[in-house]
Amino acid sequence: MMDAMREIRFDRFGGPEVLVLHTDAEVPVPGPGEVLVEVDHVGLNPLDYKIRDGSSGRAQDLALPAGTGREMAGVVRGAGPDLDEAELASRGLAPGTRVFGMRDLGDSRGVAAELIAISADDLAPIPGETAEEDLPRWAGLALAGLTAIATVEDTARIAPGSTVLVHGGSGGVGQLLIPMALEAGASRVWATGRAANAERLRELGALPIAYDGTDWRAEIHRATEGRGVDVVLDTHYHSTFVPSLDVVAEGGIVVPLPSLADLTPAHERGIEAHVPRIRPGRDRLDRLAQGVRSGRYPLEVSQILPLAEIGRAHELLEHGHTRGKLILDVRA
Ligand SMILES: NC(=O)c1ccc[n+]([C@@H]2O[C@H](COP(=O)([O-])OP(=O)(O)OC[C@H]3O[C@@H](n4cnc5c(N)ncnc54)[C@H](OP(=O)(O)O)[C@@H]3O)[C@@H](O)[C@H]2O)c1
């Protein structure tokens, strides 16, 4: 085992420049219930920059210096004292197994490092054989996927026949919301995005609305003959949440994704609105893995950057137009 490793850390809140690649970080020792994972790729999420710049509620109690990143994929290399070989095997996590997962939101340690200690409950094995070029997509699945399940199943409660509007359908979460809404029985799913992403939205099964060339509210009014949609899943929020209240059908629901979304404008108009909360769980991770393997969740990786380019990755992420997932290659 290595005596030191590469890890991204930051010692103050700020811009992407606060993220520093250390080459002499201490190798973690897995505690009770934890597994040691050699990370190959890390998935990036807007939450990462909101923690880095201090704006996330999750940044409030964060002890600095801190690591960064929440979802990843890698290989099991060891385990804490209470997880013997039989226990690991019964969970499908024997040493050498390829795994993916996300740290529980209550665990503030990062994952952008060569080795991490992580709760065995926050991991699932990657089923079947995985080709080298397929590794990155597993790293971007857990957080986006658990969010999409929490949104569609726990919060929006999409029922057969529901009509749905997804804002930001080509983003990391959006690319999973569309197929999951259709699986839940939605009769029609419209998705907003730039015109450049219309074809991708159509491939995912949505009816694209190019917000940079069309008045999406007028489009929804026309398509629903003034009734509006039963459900709005709003991954963007900033310029879309308040106008969306004009296109919700009687008795409908709006689900903005950013955790700090202000729901007051919806409640003032008597419209139901909730922010989804991730519920971790092995059963959900296994379902996501099956969905990827079967081709039902074709979440796209648009860019892979080496670990050392984490600052540039955060800049791209903050730009707000990531298509599918942005991934860091920890080995590069
Ligand atoms: N509540 C939770 O537990 C939870 C969990 C995970 C994520 N989140 C939040 O969910 C949000 C989305 O996350 P993500 O990972 O999907 O982000 P992302 O991958 O960065 O995607 C952003 C998407 O927003 C779209 N977009 C930008 N401007 C838009 C506009 N004016 N109208 C419509 N769409 C627009 C982009 O599409 P174009 O390029 O086509 O514009 C892109 O598809 C973030 O705020 C994140 O913090 C919440």
Side-chain angles (χ1 to χ4, degrees):
M1 197 54 72
M2 298 182 260
D3 332 317
M5 63 169 193
R6 297 190 304 145
E7 180 182 25
I8 305 290
R9 301 187 72 77
F10 61 106
D11 61 7
R12 63 186 194 283
F13 296 117
E17 71 285 353
V18 302
L19 298 164
V20 174
L21 174 61
H22 293 265
T23 54
D24 57 353
E26 212 171 300
V27 171
V29 177
E34 289 187 341
V35 166
L36 185 71
V37 174
E38 184 178 356
V39 178
D40 51 67
H41 295 87
V42 169
L44 292 175
N45 290 280
L47 179 62
D48 299 342
Y49 75 73
K50 295 174 190 175
I51 292 178
R52 184 213 71 219
D53 70 16
S55 64
S56 164
R58 301 263 162 213
Q60 304 317 312
D61 302 323
L62 186 67
L64 298 175
T68 182
R70 305 219 69 86
E71 61 179 1
M72 51 83 220
V75 177
V76 175
R77 292 295 180 214
D82 57 336
L83 294 177
D84 60 17
E85 259 177 53
E87 177 62 24
L88 285 175
S90 75
R91 294 171 178 236
L93 300 175
T97 305
R98 286 206 175 280
V99 291
F100 75 104
M102 88 167 258
R103 277 206 192 282
D104 184 89
L105 290 171
D107 179 343
S108 60
R109 293 172 293 175
V111 299
E114 286 178 291
L115 286 160
I116 59 167
I118 181 169
S119 168
D121 295 338
D122 295 335
L123 297 173
I126 298 174
E129 290 297 309
T130 306
E132 177 68 24
E133 66 271 18
D134 226 22
L135 292 177
R137 72 148 74 182
W138 291 97
L141 180 62
L143 194 150
L146 292 173
T147 303
I149 294 178
T151 303
V152 170
E153 290 183 15
D154 304 343
T155 316
R157 304 182 306 274
I158 293 175
S162 298
T163 50
V164 178
L165 169 62
V166 177
H167 286 301
S170 61
V173 181
Q175 290 207 16
L176 292 167
L177 290 176
I178 295 169
M180 286 185 193
L182 290 165
E183 259 181 353
S187 58
R188 280 180 295 175
V189 177
W190 288 273
T192 62
R194 286 174 296 141
N197 288 324
E199 196 44 44
R200 180 64 189 149
L201 295 173
R202 203 171 280 118
E203 282 166 10
L204 290 162
L207 299 157
I209 305 179
Y211 69 77
D212 51 356
T214 317
D215 176 346
W216 56 265
R217 270 188 301 188
E219 189 75 12
I220 292 291
H221 274 299
R222 192 192 53 72
T224 61
E225 295 171 342
R227 179 181 176 274
V229 291
D230 299 309
V231 177
V232 177
L233 306 179
D234 188 0
T235 79
H236 178 64
Y237 172 70
H238 307 285
S239 60
T240 46
F241 180 66
V242 172
S244 291
L245 304 177
D246 295 336
V247 301
V248 185
E250 189 70 32
I253 180 169
V254 188
V255 180
L257 270 71
S259 303
L260 298 178
D262 175 11
L263 305 179
T264 318
H267 294 158
E268 279 174 355
R269 288 173 59 172
I271 296 172
E272 187 179 354
H274 305 284
V275 174
R277 300 271 171 244
I278 288 181
R279 183 157 67 75
R282 174 66 182 270
D283 55 327
R284 291 191 166 189
L285 290 175
D286 286 338
R287 277 171 55 197
L288 289 168
Q290 294 307 332
V292 166
R293 274 287 179 240
S294 67
R296 286 178 292 122
Y297 303 152
L299 177 57
E300 185 185 26
V301 170
S302 59
Q303 224 169 339
I304 304 170
L305 294 170
L307 186 64
E309 288 189 33
I310 184 135
R312 179 164 147 63
H314 272 225
E315 279 168 20
L316 291 167
L317 200 63
E318 286 188 67
H319 192 50
H321 296 289
T322 302
R323 184 158 145 166
K325 296 295 299 193
L326 200 56
I327 302 291
L328 286 177
D329 186 342
V330 177
R331 301 166 309 176

